[in-house]
Amino acid sequence: MLNRIGFVDKVKVWDFVKAHEYLLEAERWNGKQNSSGRKCLWFGLGVELGFKSSVFEGIKIDNNLRKRCDDLWCGSNWNSILLYKYQAGCELKNHVDRDIFDSKVIVINISEDSLLGGNVEFFYNGNIEILSNGEIVEFNSKISHGIKKLKSERWSLSIRKIITT
């Protein structure tokens, strides 16, 4: 079940993601840029995705961000934040996350406000869930999920636990 946690301050979260835009890199698979059109940035631990995924150190998580994520996670048993930027027209095909990731994911959806066409259609467990700008959700990443083709720019912050042992 998708757990709707609440909302973040929309202005602050947009300021945060835009401040990191220059650090984004094209999404890669097996070391090569893929055709998804998404750009990403890892904070804390990151994963080089591919047939043999590997873990690396991403951007340092400052104490203020760590505290906010601890609050959302309800503890400190997480070690990664993935920032994604999707251009209009991008989608995320339905999938389940690899075993290198814990099943718990908390996502902050960052999109245009609904009056501007920014609601996001999130496919989860056979249903379409509408995500609003600034909305925080928790879900099980081992259940099929994806993002339908976007009408406008979208960002997401995913708080995760990468399994390193």
Side-chain angles (χ1 to χ4, degrees):
M1 182 171 140
L2 185 72
N3 183 16
R4 294 177 184 271
I5 297 172
F7 289 85
V8 296
D9 181 303
K10 296 174 192 178
V11 172
K12 286 182 180 178
V13 78
W14 271 104
D15 287 348
F16 177 84
V17 298
K18 289 296 189 175
H20 290 86
E21 189 167 19
Y22 76 100
L23 294 170
L24 295 172
E25 296 181 352
E27 186 177 45
R28 295 189 311 248
W29 180 259
N30 287 323
K32 296 179 182 165
Q33 183 175 332
N34 69 21
S35 61
S36 72
R38 292 188 305 265
K39 292 187 174 182
C40 61
L41 177 64
W42 292 90
F43 294 81
L45 294 183
V47 176
E48 182 70 39
L49 293 169
F51 295 116
K52 292 186 177 183
S53 298
S54 60
V55 177
F56 64 90
E57 268 306 316
I59 302 253
K60 184 178 187 301
I61 301 170
D62 70 38
N63 288 336
N64 189 34
L65 181 57
R66 181 167 302 282
K67 182 181 179 331
R68 289 173 186 254
C69 291
D70 284 352
D71 290 345
L72 291 173
W73 191 269
C74 298
S76 60
N77 190 23
W78 60 276
N79 56 17
S80 178
I81 303 169
L82 174 55
L83 174 62
Y84 259 128
K85 179 183 180 185
Y86 300 69
Q87 297 293 353
C90 281
E91 64 184 334
L92 178 60
K93 300 281 187 194
N94 295 339
H95 69 284
V96 295
D97 286 1
R98 297 182 165 272
D99 289 340
I100 197 164
F101 298 105
D102 185 76
S103 60
K104 179 179 179 178
V105 178
I106 296 188
V107 171
I108 301 171
N109 179 66
I110 307 148
S111 57
E112 292 182 355
D113 284 317
S114 59
L115 296 176
L116 303 173
N119 280 343
V120 171
E121 295 180 79
F122 179 63
F123 175 86
Y124 183 67
N125 198 24
N127 300 307
I128 298 292
E129 303 281 351
I130 303 300
L131 303 181
S132 299
N133 183 22
E135 188 166 15
I136 308 163
V137 296
E138 178 183 336
F139 67 95
N140 182 334
S141 69
K142 306 307 181 191
I143 294 175
S144 183
H145 60 281
I147 299 290
K148 300 301 178 192
K149 192 173 281 193
L150 296 164
K151 297 176 186 146
S152 60
E153 179 180 302
R154 178 206 185 225
W155 294 71
S156 69
L157 276 167
S158 300
I159 305 165
R160 303 172 162 274
K161 179 179 181 182
I162 294 172
I163 299 166
T164 58
T165 54

